[in-house]
Amino acid sequence: MRKQIVAGNWKMNGSNELLNSFVPALAEEAKQSQAEILVCPPALFLGDMRRLAGEYLLVGAQNCHEAVSGAFTGEISADMLADMQLSHVLVGHSERRAIYGETDALIAAKTKAALNAGLTAVLCVGETLEEREAGRTLDVVLGQVSAVVEQLTLADWANLVVAYEPVWAIGTGKTASSEQAQDVHQAIRAALAEYSPEHADAMRILYGGSVKADNAAELFACPDIDGGLVGGASLNSDEFISICRSAN
Ligand code: 13P
């Protein structure tokens, strides 16, 4: 059975106070959880969060640069994240695609940089409302997945997680129904199975987009949904811990 993952993406939110009040409780939760619990705070908090997280709570970044080092003012490389004992990095979040113009090619390069550094990359994919309404959901999502996967070896898949986040469900309170989500997750797994059924079966595919304490259990119970990538609700400790308890 695939071990589920509940990941919190703080985006550009949070504070030193939130870090100190919430992370010790979450570290305790992670120790007992059947699932993997991951938090991705803003880069500024990564070092302190890593120290507070203890042995079981996983800490990851929200982005990395594709180069190892160099004259890239304001950027952070995957190697630096690994050097700080972090384990994961999000790549291809829809906000980075839409606001910062990240292309599939750049996201593939960042994914390779993350894997080369020994990190696990959480590859985010998802369609916009216009794309869904035009019947292009699977075209878009499977295109985003294959643009990255084609650049990797099957051995790399051990350190890859996919997160399906329909753009229209992010921060809108409008969650995909469990059927809508399961349909896309199943299609992603089927597309991966064309490379290797065994590796596709082992791939964790997370759902993101308005995951809350009251819808997490139903989503996580779907056969191809292996946990969640949680934005807004990951900033509230009671709510996030309750979502974590809905996994596995
Ligand atoms: P919300 O949970 O706030 O909808 O955000 C989802 C997301 O973008 C996580 O990466």
Side-chain angles (χ1 to χ4, degrees), residues 14-28:
S15 61
N16 207 23
E17 191 190 337
L18 184 70
L19 196 79
N20 285 299
S21 62
F22 172 16
V23 174
L26 198 57
E28 206 40 51

Side-chain angles (χ1 to χ4, degrees), residues 9 11 90 93-95 124 165 169-172 208-212 229-233:
N9 172 10
K11 309 193 179 182
L90 308 182
H93 192 279
S94 65
E95 287 149 19
C124 306
E165 299 201 300
I170 294 179
T172 58
S210 298
V211 174
K212 304 274 185 266
L229 179 53
V230 185

Side-chain angles (χ1 to χ4, degrees), residues 19 23-24 27 44-55 57 59 84-86:
L19 196 79
V23 174
L44 185 62
F45 301 130
L46 284 168
D48 281 348
M49 189 177 280
R50 184 56 274 164
R51 281 187 284 279
L52 287 169
E55 200 182 327
L57 178 62
V59 181
M84 292 293 286
Q85 315 298 319
L86 303 170

Side-chain angles (χ1 to χ4, degrees), residues 57-125:
L57 178 62
L58 303 169
V59 181
Q62 298 173 10
N63 181 33
C64 66
H65 195 275
E66 66 279 18
V68 170
S69 62
F72 301 102
T73 301
E75 293 293 316
I76 296 174
S77 74
D79 291 72
M80 292 170 183
L81 299 174
D83 190 39
M84 292 293 286
Q85 315 298 319
L86 303 170
S87 52
H88 291 67
V89 61
L90 308 182
V91 289
H93 192 279
S94 65
E95 287 149 19
R96 298 218 54 93
R97 293 177 190 261
I99 305 169
Y100 302 102
E102 292 197 2
T103 60
D104 281 332
L106 178 61
I107 292 159
K110 289 185 175 199
T111 306
K112 280 173 69 170
L115 299 175
N116 287 340
L119 300 173
T120 294
V122 181
L123 169 64
C124 306
V125 297

